[in-house]
Amino acid sequence: MEKSWHPECFVCAGCRKNFTEKTFHTRNEQPYCDGCFLAMFAPKCSGCKQAISGSYVTALEGPWHSTCFVCHACREPFEKGSFFDVEGKPYCKKDYEAMER
């Protein structure tokens, strides 16, 4: 950011609170605290709808926390990464085959 700020004016553009940490994020030349930046600009998990920071899985046309990308029925991780798409929800082979009966 190429701006000068009064110390009391250098606040988060989202929550308007003073920065308690030395780090901040910028978007459109505005400073944001970690919480506001994640809530406003980070991708949202297709499973839990919460902000994603760090690495994630892309599947079924959306981002997922790796802990959220599990079988919709049994909530277990997928064996060898294989899953079945049923109406936009991931299912393991066992639960998919049970649905087909």
Side-chain angles (χ1 to χ4, degrees), residues 41-87:
F41 304 114
K44 305 297 186 267
C45 177
S46 295
C48 70
K49 311 300 184 220
Q50 297 297 310
I52 297 174
S53 65
S55 61
Y56 57 91
V57 175
T58 300
L60 301 173
E61 299 183 20
W64 299 72
H65 291 110
S66 58
T67 55
C68 293
F69 190 66
V70 295
C71 177
H72 186 70
C74 69
R75 311 304 298 165
E76 292 294 320
F78 299 109
E79 190 174 302
K80 299 180 186 175
S82 298
F83 67 94
F84 294 86
D85 176 359
V86 179
E87 297 178 4

Side-chain angles (χ1 to χ4, degrees), residues 15-60:
C15 64
R16 311 299 302 164
K17 293 180 182 175
N18 291 322
F19 290 104
T20 56
E21 299 175 11
K22 293 181 181 178
T23 61
F24 60 92
H25 305 274
T26 59
R27 183 72 153 242
N28 300 324
E29 294 292 312
Q30 296 295 313
Y32 291 91
C33 67
D34 284 339
C36 287
F37 189 83
L38 286 174
M40 296 171 80
F41 304 114
K44 305 297 186 267
C45 177
S46 295
C48 70
K49 311 300 184 220
Q50 297 297 310
I52 297 174
S53 65
S55 61
Y56 57 91
V57 175
T58 300
L60 301 173

